[in-house]
Amino acid sequence: MDLEDGKVEKDRVKTLRCYRPIKLHNQSLLSGLAYCISSCSMILVNKFVLSGYDFNAGISLMVYQNLVSVLVVSILRIFGVISTEPLTWKLVKVWFPVNVIFVGMLITSMFSLKYINVAMVTVLKNVTNVITALGETYLFMKHHDKRVWTALFLMIISAFSGGMTDLSFHAIGYIWQTLNCFLTASYSLTLRRVMDTAKQVTKSGKLNEFSMVLLNNTLSLPLGLLLIFAFNEVDYLYKTPLLKMPMFWLVITSSGFLGLAISFTSLWFLHQTGATTYSLVGSLNKIPLSIAGILLFKVPTSLENSLSILFGLLAGVFFAKAKLQDRSQS
């Protein structure tokens, strides 16, 4: 979110200084590889759990992953590896509306990933950038140049053409993904409004990345438990034989660690390189992710659909470059 505003918060850099990693040669390359691998692996593992294992309790999976993140961050804080802000009642009250959107964003992502292949999810997520840009224009009066709007228009075309040529099209999955795009954009826009208020109610006047991870994941647990009962996942969890399989527990636990690894590696990579490289690599990273998703899950595709996916991925790279040029000029 800070990259969208054209700056990298000093809080993030200070957070990284709270622990001293082992000195390695060419840390920029290593951090970039770690970020790419963790971000790709997280989506692929979730897809494997939801589709490969045919696990029909996406909310429960989200709650378990967030619980793993809370436990790991808490342990690292206790041993002084990282620093986080204490969770006060004032901070919880300020952050709760953002957290509701955050939970909805994660749940809809799980539901859509179960029905849609990874490549199409990656392309359809580009619609989030369109909604976010419109929100910035009308809510924050932020101006974007023609290159940004051209890239956004290309993203819309790729999403429509990809959906029309998707051989594994699933209406329910596309509905969940549409909701996810709106919730993700809402999270981004709401977070910008709440961040300044949240910093004012912390003891240090700051809110670093790990504090946000701990805050979001901790608050999501009680809300997630309520939704588990609301969606009647308890009955499914009681009957499914998957919970008796040690390998299944290993896979879903690794997904929880991967989710947290994205936060650590993104900070490491951002610290070693900069906002420009971070943004471009994030866009380029979707290309191998899409290819891996098609190959690993043996997704039926056509030449038209493959071209639509490639067009959408390149539009994402063009958007990232346009945003960076837009910020450099402003």
Side-chain angles (χ1 to χ4, degrees):
M1 304 311 153
D2 302 319
L3 292 175
E4 287 295 319
D5 292 330
K7 61 182 181 180
V8 180
E9 283 197 79
K10 294 181 180 178
D11 296 349
R12 295 189 169 194
V13 178
K14 290 180 180 178
T15 303
L16 287 171
R17 290 172 182 168
C18 294
Y19 65 94
R20 295 183 180 276
I22 300 172
K23 287 190 176 182
L24 299 169
H25 296 291
N26 203 350
Q27 286 200 27
S28 297
L29 178 61
L30 289 172
S31 60
L33 286 173
Y35 167 67
C36 292
I37 291 171
S38 60
S39 58
C40 285
S41 299
M42 177 66 179
I43 296 176
L44 294 174
V45 170
N46 278 344
K47 179 64 176 177
F48 179 65
V49 172
L50 296 168
S51 298
Y53 278 107
D54 196 24
F55 188 61
N56 294 317
I59 301 174
S60 301
L61 178 60
M62 178 212 71
V63 170
Y64 183 73
Q65 290 174 344
N66 290 358
L67 177 62
V68 170
S69 295
V70 170
L71 292 175
V72 173
V73 171
S74 299
I75 292 171
L76 293 176
R77 181 184 61 181
I78 291 172
F79 284 96
V81 179
I82 61 174
S83 62
T84 61
E85 292 294 326
L87 303 184
T88 62
W89 178 242
K90 287 183 179 180
L91 182 58
V92 169
K93 286 194 298 183
V94 170
W95 201 261
F96 183 73
V98 179
N99 188 255
V100 172
I101 301 174
F102 172 76
V103 171
M105 179 180 71
L106 293 183
I107 291 174
T108 53
S109 177
M110 291 287 188
F111 288 166
S112 67
L113 194 59
K114 181 174 178 60
Y115 297 107
I116 308 177
N117 67 74
V118 174
M120 277 308 305
V121 166
T122 304
V123 172
L124 293 172
K125 279 183 178 293
N126 284 338
V127 178
T128 301
N129 295 321
V130 179
I131 302 171
T132 304
L134 291 172
E136 289 174 338
T137 301
Y138 290 102
L139 296 177
F140 302 107
M141 303 302 172
K142 188 173 182 179
H143 174 73
H144 297 292
D145 66 16
K146 293 180 180 179
R147 286 169 296 188
V148 173
W149 290 113
T150 301
L152 294 173
F153 180 69
L154 294 177
M155 287 178 176
I156 295 174
I157 294 176
S158 67
F160 274 104
S161 62
M164 292 174 64
T165 57
D166 187 2
L167 298 180
S168 56
F169 179 86
H170 199 293
I172 294 176
Y174 273 73
I175 291 172
W176 282 119
Q177 185 54 52
T178 302
L179 288 173
N180 177 258
C181 290
F182 278 98
L183 286 170
T184 304
S186 299
Y187 178 75
S188 172
L189 296 169
T190 306
L191 189 65
R192 298 177 195 186
R193 288 181 175 272
V194 173
M195 277 293 291
D196 292 335
T197 306
K199 290 177 182 179
Q200 293 173 5
V201 298
T202 59
K203 291 184 177 181
S204 65
K206 304 169 185 175
L207 193 65
N208 61 41
E209 179 78 11
F210 299 119
S211 296
M212 290 174 60
V213 170
L214 185 61
L215 183 60
N216 260 333
N217 291 334
T218 301
L219 293 180
S220 71
L221 296 180
L223 184 56
L225 289 173
L226 288 174
L227 292 173
I228 288 174
F229 285 97
F231 281 77
N232 198 26
E233 288 190 359
V234 176
D235 186 53
Y236 170 80
L237 294 173
Y238 181 74
K239 294 178 180 179
T240 181
L242 291 174
L243 299 184
K244 298 178 182 178
M245 298 170 56
M247 183 56 67
F248 178 75
W249 281 103
L250 178 63
V251 172
I252 63 174
T253 302
S254 66
S255 70
F257 278 99
L258 284 171
L260 190 59
I262 294 174
S263 297
F264 280 89
T265 56
S266 62
L267 283 173
W268 183 24
F269 185 41
L270 187 59
H271 181 61
Q272 294 297 326
T273 55
T276 303
T277 305
Y278 179 86
S279 181
L280 287 176
V281 169
S283 297
L284 291 169
N285 193 37
K286 296 177 180 179
I287 297 175
L289 171 62
S290 300
I291 296 173
I294 292 173
L295 296 178
L296 291 175
F297 298 101
K298 299 178 180 177
V299 177
T301 185
S302 62
L303 178 61
E304 293 83 1
N305 186 244
S306 299
L307 291 175
S308 297
I309 292 171
L310 179 61
F311 183 70
L313 295 173
L314 294 178
V317 176
F318 179 55
F319 171 75
K321 292 185 66 176
K323 285 283 288 184
L324 292 170
Q325 292 173 353
D326 187 23
R327 285 198 294 267
S328 63
Q329 289 179 357
S330 60

